[in-house]
Amino acid sequence: MNAWSNSFERKWTLIFLFEYIFIMMPFPWFYDTDYNPSFWGVPLFIFGWIIYGAVVITTIIIWWRQCVNRPEYQDDEE
């Protein structure tokens, strides 16, 4: 089985590739050489990384839940 063998694998490969490529873009909320204050004077990129980390962790949990429900992981103890 590879990343393009079925629709489940294709969908999640594309989702994780998008997340991987998106984090490399030099957006000011991920990477900044100047000080751009946000709430309470905290640099903007700190909040960007925290929000992005929460999105990635949520995506991993959704992927895990869908993986566990696949037929390959079901035990037929009859």
Side-chain angles (χ1 to χ4, degrees):
M1 180 182 297
N2 63 23
W4 310 107
S5 63
N6 59 40
S7 63
F8 179 81
E9 301 292 334
R10 270 191 304 274
K11 176 181 77 170
W12 283 104
T13 298
L14 292 174
I15 289 170
F16 286 123
L17 280 174
F18 172 76
E19 287 181 347
Y20 178 71
I21 292 169
F22 187 75
I23 195 66
M24 292 187 186
M25 298 293 113
F27 295 123
W29 54 87
F30 291 141
Y31 170 78
D32 200 1
T33 57
D34 297 328
Y35 172 68
N36 288 328
S38 183
F39 304 108
W40 309 291
V42 176
L44 180 63
F45 73 92
I46 300 293
F47 289 112
W49 278 96
I50 289 171
I51 292 168
Y52 186 76
V55 168
V56 169
I57 289 171
T58 303
T59 305
I60 291 170
I61 291 169
I62 293 169
W63 170 76
W64 171 76
R65 301 266 307 181
Q66 289 184 5
C67 282
V68 170
N69 291 331
R70 294 190 70 197
E72 296 93 55
Y73 294 101
Q74 302 304 317
D75 290 330
D76 282 334
E77 297 188 22
E78 297 177 25

